[in-house]
Amino acid sequence: MSQPKEVPQMEKIVSLAKRRGFVFQSSEIYGGINGFWDYGPLGAELKRNLRDTWWRAMTRDREDVVGLDATIIMHPAIWKASGHVDTFSDPMADCLVTQKRFRADHVEPQSGVVYKWTGATDETGKTSNDTFSALLAAGKPAESARKVGIQFYTQRGLTNPQLLGETTEKVENSRGFNPENGAQLTDPVPFNLMFKTYVGATATEEDKAYLRPETAQAIFAQFKNVVNSTPQRVPFGICQIGKAFRNEVTPRNFTFRSREFEQMELEFFIKPDEAIEAVCGSVAPWSESADLSKPQDNWGWEMWHRYWVKERTDYYAGIGLGADVLDYHWQTKEELAHYARACVDILFKFPFGTEELEGIAARGDFDLTAHQNASRKPQDVFDEEVKNAFAKWTDEQRAALVERKKAEHRAKEKGGMTDAQVDEWCEKLFKGFYVPHVIEPSAGLDRLALAVLSNAYTEVEKTDPKGKSETLYVMRFHPRIAPVKVGVFPLLKNKPELVAKAREVYELLRKNLAAFYDEGGSIGKRYARQDEAGTPFCLTIDFDTLGEKGDDLKDTVTLRHRDDGSQERVKISELLGRLLPLVG
Ligand code: GAP
């Protein structure tokens, strides 16, 4: 007897997400649109809760971060200055037989024998001199590679083509062939990921604009306006949550790589290390035992970077993503962008592999300087403390700093300042002016929603007294992010006094937390429905609530906890006091 096919974990999550109204395919009734997803009633609440926890952690709970809400379409010069117009691309390759498009660096590397042809001819005398090759899958006969070759030349207008000039060659780990049929792929070409549109009715090239591929650039572009309109002074941050768009070559893994998604980004502006050195005498050195609990005046970029890695890790722990499901990838020197000093990816163990959830980059002064150069509007700040500190330095100390800085920049392979630029930079710094450096924690809201959905998904086998077993699904969301916090049930729906009391409890709660009233089916079925929705608490109003067993239990309800199924009696008057701290 054949074994039932094991359904991959991700498929089960996608199926539950649709069944329970977390995530739907966009435009599904028209066959869907690849890379776009909609959030259903529970998903919309889940996402809102995630957004709120992030916003609270990043701004409301801090004195040194403020928010921004910028437009999706901005002046196209922003994307030129930021480098996105010229370099925000992925390598793309097409299958020469099926025309299927691949992200060239994501093609599974393959080894085997490649069959190459110099061209083909057919019975009508028609000839093609186009070369073509196909990789022979292990264990398959040579004819299967030739079949692919014949398909290629047939598409070039030949009837029953005869392959010409066949040679073979062994290849190892090649990304040059379609893994599905072995056909040769085109050479990779860069494909810019920005969505283009036109602003205004004429729709000419001059009106071309882009949907933002990240929220960060608006923060840089509005940096000076925020400084001028708030009391914030460096070090401080500006954060933003909003839609971003990338025309990904191959959207995949459910919502993980989408074409429309939401980002939650912070740009935290800090003084250059040289300014800290002047003010504090030295820059605090990073070590494994460094105390990162509270920012200190003598922190340079490295301590700030480590601090934000810790802050973000603590944030994830606070919504139920602990050390067991996270990992870190510290980018190597070769992986780092030339302007970045460090970048760490916080990874989550998704069912399809351990992948990036958030990147935290130390980007130096690259972005603000790029906008300063392109817009010709100064992006530097004046810092009295820095000016006063340098005023106390000797000429020798200043000269030594200039020389050190020059040596540092001469050693850079790319993007270093010339000696003259270093002179100018130091001159300004000594007067208290500098372009702030930045630490950028950048997270994806949709990826986070997928992470918490994957993390919450649990299957529980239940056997009834008759021995019949069934699989129940429990979404173990942390109460802070659960879409519904509490389910309220009357024990029986045909007892008006129970229903009235249950509605009274529901009305009391729903003003303060997301509550759901349900009177349909058995209590067991109602618990199961809320377990699938991830509701952490359920309340049942029964005859004891009405005082049938005396005053002791009157106006108490059964509080049932989702994760261990435990139940307790709680006074209605104490419910809010019990529940609010658990879900807030
Ligand atoms: N400003 C820096 C920046 O945008 P990124 O690594 O390209 O950096 C940051 O993106 C985060 O945005 C990623 O860690 C991921 O969570 C999310 N993200 C990026 N591309 C995405 C996509 N196509 N679909 C869903 N989320 C995406």
Side-chain angles (χ1 to χ4, degrees):
M1 209 174 84
S2 70
Q3 293 289 318
K5 206 171 144 235
E6 178 73 24
V7 182
Q9 176 87 341
M10 201 57 219
E11 267 179 43
K12 296 183 195 172
I13 293 170
V14 174
S15 154
L16 183 139
K18 180 173 176 188
R19 182 160 44 85
R20 289 314 314 258
F22 283 100
V23 184
F24 305 132
Q25 195 181 14
S26 168
S27 325
E28 194 188 286
I29 59 167
Y30 290 102
I33 170 166
N34 201 5
F36 296 87
W37 300 94
D38 293 341
Y39 289 81
L42 288 178
E45 289 288 341
L46 177 68
K47 232 177 132 177
R48 182 168 295 279
N49 292 342
L50 290 171
R51 213 184 269 125
D52 288 350
T53 55
W54 188 91
W55 191 259
R56 206 161 84 189
M58 297 308 243
T59 61
R60 300 254 166 87
D61 291 351
R62 307 184 61 96
E63 288 182 42
D64 57 357
V65 179
V66 289
L68 183 76
D69 189 351
T71 58
I72 286 168
I73 295 178
M74 298 187 279
H75 196 294
I78 287 188
W79 306 110
K80 184 74 187 155
S82 66
H84 284 80
V85 170
D86 296 325
T87 59
F88 192 60
S89 55
D90 280 336
M92 173 188 81
D94 293 340
C95 172
L96 283 171
V97 170
T98 62
Q99 279 72 52
K100 185 171 170 180
R101 184 150 284 182
F102 291 87
R103 202 172 128 173
D105 55 337
H106 284 177
V107 175
E108 197 59 43
Q110 299 167 86
S111 304
V113 177
V114 176
Y115 281 69
K116 298 181 177 185
W117 299 280
T118 53
T121 184
D122 73 6
E123 56 219 19
T124 67
K126 205 166 172 189
T127 305
S128 165
N129 291 324
D130 292 339
T131 58
F132 179 70
S133 54
L135 182 77
L136 183 66
K140 291 219 167 166
E143 276 319 302
S144 71
R146 293 189 186 114
K147 211 169 135 196
V148 179
I150 289 167
Q151 276 178 316
F152 172 79
Y153 290 106
T154 304
Q155 286 178 5
R156 266 155 187 70
L158 274 65
T159 316
N160 295 328
Q162 300 282 315
L163 301 169
L164 300 175
E166 179 175 294
T167 53
T168 58
E169 187 193 343
K170 274 193 173 170
V171 293
E172 297 266 326
N173 296 322
S174 168
R175 292 187 196 272
F177 300 90
N178 181 347
E180 290 154 17
N181 62 1
Q184 185 186 340
L185 300 176
T186 57
D187 287 338
V189 286
F191 173 73
N192 194 294
L193 300 186
M194 285 197 292
F195 279 99
K196 292 166 199 72
T197 187
Y198 296 97
V199 175
T202 48
T204 61
E205 268 303 285
E206 282 87 77
D207 304 324
K208 195 159 83 183
Y210 304 95
L211 303 193
R212 66 181 176 204
E214 61 171 25
T215 60
Q217 291 307 319
I219 298 179
F220 296 122
Q222 293 293 6
F223 170 71
K224 268 308 186 79
N225 275 336
V226 174
V227 170
N228 294 338
S229 60
T230 69
Q232 295 292 343
R233 293 296 167 258
V234 177
F236 82 100
I238 307 174
C239 70
Q240 174 165 222
I241 299 178
K243 289 273 189 183
F245 301 81
R246 296 183 188 178
N247 199 0
E248 298 284 357
V249 177
T250 47
R252 61 190 177 134
N253 288 330
F254 199 20
T255 58
F256 179 81
R257 192 176 301 286
S258 306
R259 289 181 164 140
E260 174 176 340
F261 55 97
E262 246 173 292
Q263 283 189 318
M264 307 187 288
E265 299 201 287
L266 165 70
E267 304 303 325
F268 195 82
F269 300 98
I270 56 172
K271 298 176 195 193
D273 279 10
E274 293 79 1
I276 302 292
E277 196 182 325
V279 173
C280 301
S282 64
V283 175
W286 153 254
S287 76
E288 286 296 336
S289 59
D291 178 4
L292 295 170
S293 56
K294 202 164 164 266
Q296 301 295 322
D297 290 344
N298 64 348
W299 280 8
W301 73 265
E302 199 169 10
M303 288 291 261
W304 274 113
H305 186 238
R306 296 283 180 162
Y307 166 80
W308 277 111
V309 177
K310 178 194 151 305
E311 283 291 291
R312 298 299 304 138
T313 302
D314 291 350
Y315 164 80
Y316 287 121
I319 56 166
L321 304 183
D324 53 330
V325 290
L326 296 184
D327 210 340
Y328 299 85
H329 170 68
W330 286 85
Q331 289 189 9
T332 59
K333 212 167 150 261
E334 293 69 41
E335 290 171 298
L336 280 178
H338 68 86
Y339 49 80
R341 286 167 147 163
C343 185
V344 58
D345 294 335
I346 300 186
L347 314 173
F348 176 78
K349 294 173 188 168
F350 289 98
F352 46 82
T354 302
E355 298 274 0
E356 178 184 336
L357 189 58
E358 163 161 1
I360 304 174
R363 296 175 63 89
D365 59 2
F366 175 79
D367 303 273
L368 284 180
T369 304
H371 288 300
Q372 173 170 273
N373 294 341
S375 68
R376 298 177 192 215
K377 307 266 178 4
Q379 297 300 312
D380 55 359
V381 293
F382 173 66
D383 195 324
E384 183 93 41
E385 204 183 14
V386 172
K387 181 185 159 198
N388 293 341
F390 276 116
K392 293 182 195 137
W393 276 33
T394 61
D395 287 346
E396 288 73 30
Q397 277 179 301
R398 291 175 190 220
L401 175 60
V402 174
E403 280 317 307
R404 203 178 78 206
K405 195 89 191 150
K406 280 181 181 166
E408 197 184 289
H409 279 266
R410 281 182 205 137
K412 284 191 180 180
E413 279 169 25
K414 214 174 154 198
M417 286 195 270
T418 62
D419 283 3
Q421 284 169 327
V422 171
D423 282 332
E424 193 189 340
W425 188 88
C426 289
E427 201 53 41
K428 283 191 176 156
L429 185 68
F430 297 152
K431 290 179 183 151
F433 290 94
Y434 56 81
V435 172
H437 287 223
V438 78
I439 308 291
E440 180 193 65
S442 170
L445 176 53
D446 304 81
R447 270 194 202 173
L448 179 54
L450 182 58
V452 297
L453 277 169
S454 316
N455 192 55
Y457 180 87
T458 320
E459 291 175 12
V460 179
E461 290 303 323
K462 204 161 177 190
T463 310
D464 70 12
K466 291 181 192 150
K468 194 172 157 232
S469 67
E470 64 173 331
T471 307
L472 299 177
Y473 303 94
V474 183
M475 296 301 282
R476 297 192 197 279
F477 295 119
H478 190 286
R480 287 178 72 197
I481 57 165
V484 178
K485 310 299 184 195
V486 59
V488 183
F489 318 145
L491 181 64
L492 299 168
K493 75 169 175 184
N494 56 1
K495 296 285 173 204
E497 35 322 2
L498 286 180
V499 169
K501 193 72 185 170
R503 298 278 328 170
E504 191 186 307
V505 172
Y506 169 64
E507 292 299 334
L508 167 83
L509 296 178
R510 78 187 188 120
K511 290 189 184 75
N512 299 278
L513 41 85
F516 184 80
Y517 177 82
D518 189 2
E519 55 181 32
S522 69
I523 285 290
K525 283 264 181 301
R526 284 181 258 171
Y527 281 152
R529 277 203 290 271
Q530 289 310 306
D531 284 349
E532 272 198 4
T535 306
F537 309 107
C538 287
L539 304 174
T540 304
I541 285 77
D542 56 18
F543 292 107
D544 292 350
T545 316
L546 304 177
E548 284 204 357
K549 279 203 193 132
D551 281 351
D552 277 1
L553 292 180
K554 188 165 187 285
D555 284 331
T556 65
V557 297
T558 302
L559 168 62
R560 184 250 193 189
H561 298 258
R562 176 197 64 203
D563 292 341
D564 59 5
S566 65
Q567 302 192 357
E568 57 179 317
R569 239 21 232 193
V570 179
K571 284 188 182 149
I572 294 172
S573 59
E574 290 173 5
L575 277 174
L576 278 175
R578 275 291 301 281
L579 297 179
L580 281 177
L582 299 173
V583 303

